[in-house]
Amino acid sequence: MIDFTSPGGPWVHEVEQATVNQLLAPIESADGMVTRFDGRRMRTLDALFQEYVREFMLPEYFGWNWPAFDECMTDLEWMPAKRYLTIVDHAGEVLKEDLGELPTYLRQMEDIGRHWSRAFALGPDWGGGEVPYHTVLVRAD
């Protein structure tokens, strides 16, 4: 079983649909923020960014590119949490129309998880230090 309350990596995980509900209980009971996406709404790069802008309330200055995505997702000062868990249902649909961007997305999510795991001297809203940030890609059963 993957421990999503731990800041350690790996930070991107693939799971079967049947196991998702088992994963939610520990993080929800540990002051965690769970964000759920539908991969069918993320088939292009713009659509993927749109979903993150909506769910994470990214600021107006978000630049709609990978460097801006990294900058915002490694900040999240407007949405502090002691743990972050991003679940992407229908993960096989993510960037299906922009397949060349998929490796970058996966690398970005791994890098974001790594960044948060090395955070230090954060305020109490983040638990004061290392913050778990995991992304779960849910495969169809």
Side-chain angles (χ1 to χ4, degrees), residues 70-83:
D70 178 69
E71 179 183 339
C72 289
M73 294 302 295
T74 57
D75 182 351
L76 296 177
E77 72 177 34
W78 55 91
M79 194 172 269
K82 294 180 181 173
R83 290 160 184 78

Side-chain angles (χ1 to χ4, degrees), residues 57 94 117:
M57 295 182 258
V94 173
S117 76

Side-chain angles (χ1 to χ4, degrees), residues 6 15-16 31-32 50 61 66 71 76-77 103 109 120 135:
S6 166
V15 301
E16 298 290 334
D31 295 326
Q50 221 166 20
Y61 63 79
W66 289 120
E71 179 183 339
L76 296 177
E77 72 177 34
M109 299 318 296
F120 64 95
T135 300

Side-chain angles (χ1 to χ4, degrees), residues 82-104:
K82 294 180 181 173
R83 290 160 184 78
Y84 297 93
L85 176 61
T86 298
I87 298 172
V88 182
D89 293 303
H90 306 284
E93 297 294 317
V94 173
L95 295 170
K96 197 169 190 171
E97 295 175 29
D98 278 333
L99 280 176
E101 299 290 348
L102 185 59
T104 303

